[in-house]
Amino acid sequence: MKTIVISAPGGPEVLHLLEVEDPEIQDDEVLIKVAAAALNRADTFRRKGLHTPPPAGSSPYLGIECSGTILAVGKKVSRWKIGDQVCALLNGGGYSEKVAVPAGQVLPIPPGVSLEDAASLPEVACTVWSTVFMIGRLSPAETFLVHGGSSGIGTFAIQIAKYRGARVFVTAGNDEKLAACKNLGADVGINYKTEDFVARVKEETDGKGLLQF
Ligand SMILES: NC(=O)c1ccc[n+]([C@@H]2O[C@H](COP(=O)([O-])OP(=O)(O)OC[C@H]3O[C@@H](n4cnc5c(N)ncnc54)[C@H](OP(=O)(O)O)[C@@H]3O)[C@@H](O)[C@H]2O)c1
């Protein structure tokens, strides 16, 4: 199969297409024929040689999420079958034609989302859900502040927090980014380069404050 490799740490010019062996699946894994892979900030850090190496035993190639069609399933996998269209959170290997992934990191394509768009869901959805809702336990009555509101993580956090009924504040580095956050549902936008966000939050919440993310 073809994959993207890094010739040496650096800019986008160090990315090269290379023919490599197909991945082999373990009993608890599925093999995905990749339709699309997303670009995360973590990928750019890894390209520059600034990211921690992937966990032992995982794909050495780039790409931490993808979507595609299941080509093969391991002996212990019952949740998925060949031909299923899925997206997946990966330890690596998304920038490849095929990737092996533990079945527990695979998700169905949500209704109304294209196969290509679904490649960008697992990282932000799992990160935001686990931190904001499982650990932070954000409730509909609460107010929530998203720093870096226009980031990949931020844009997902705004939408799901609004959907769940919270009041959402965001910070961003310019007014264009704040307008994009408002379009996604943010209630209050704060340009942290021109305003003191602590003072503004106190003002908007009658001094009560809020949950920060
Ligand atoms: N993507 C994921 O799935 C994921 C998963 C786990 C953890 N994270 C963490 O979540 C955070 C956001 O990740 P992301 O992938 O969503 O980021 P992103 O889309 O690349 O956005 C990063 C944001 O950070 C702000 N920023 C501040 N200083 C910056 C600088 N020097 N260079 C570039 N951006 C700068 C920018 O907003 P302003 O201009 O408004 O400051 C920018 O929009 C990161 O800390 C990342 O490690 C991400």
Side-chain angles (χ1 to χ4, degrees):
M1 67 164 185
K2 290 187 177 62
T3 191
I4 301 284
V5 293
I6 309 165
S7 53
E13 68 282 358
V14 304
L15 299 174
H16 298 287
L17 200 59
L18 191 72
E19 191 71 34
V20 297
E21 292 290 316
D22 278 11
E24 285 181 17
I25 53 168
Q26 306 294 317
D27 289 350
D28 63 344
E29 291 184 332
V30 303
L31 183 67
I32 298 175
K33 180 179 190 305
V34 175
L39 172 63
N40 281 272
R41 192 159 173 74
D43 299 319
T44 61
F45 270 61
R46 196 160 158 209
R47 191 197 69 223
K48 292 175 184 167
L50 301 175
H51 209 272
T52 47
S58 55
S59 168
Y61 306 121
L62 279 173
I64 53 176
E65 59 184 337
C66 76
S67 61
T69 306
I70 293 188
L71 285 179
V73 295
K75 286 181 204 143
K76 291 186 186 161
V77 177
S78 54
R79 169 75 176 81
W80 306 106
K81 61 181 190 315
I82 292 171
D84 283 347
Q85 291 201 321
V86 295
C87 52
L89 189 63
L90 309 170
N91 295 328
Y95 292 11
S96 308
E97 288 182 310
K98 295 172 193 168
V99 65
V101 53
Q105 291 172 215
V106 176
L107 298 161
I109 307 290
V113 177
S114 71
L115 184 62
E116 287 74 20
D117 286 352
S120 65
L121 278 180
E123 273 291 337
V124 289
C126 294
T127 302
V128 173
W129 188 260
S130 60
T131 52
V132 179
F133 296 98
M134 291 171 70
I135 298 171
R137 297 187 176 277
L138 181 68
S139 73
E142 288 178 305
T143 303
F144 173 52
L145 171 62
V146 185
H147 288 297
S150 68
S151 66
I153 287 284
T155 52
F156 188 88
I158 293 166
Q159 293 175 83
I160 194 158
K162 280 305 291 181
Y163 177 76
R164 306 267 302 179
R167 188 175 179 219
V168 177
F169 287 34
V170 296
T171 64
N174 65 42
D175 292 344
E176 195 186 349
K177 289 181 177 184
L178 289 173
C181 294
K182 286 255 173 117
N183 268 341
L184 294 174
D187 299 291
V188 175
I190 306 167
N191 182 332
Y192 68 83
K193 293 191 175 159
T194 58
E195 280 186 272
D196 175 346
F197 81 87
V198 175
R200 178 79 187 279
V201 163
K202 280 191 180 154
E203 185 188 309
E204 294 276 352
T205 61
D206 297 326
K208 287 190 198 119
L210 39 63
L211 173 68
Q212 283 190 66
F213 179 54

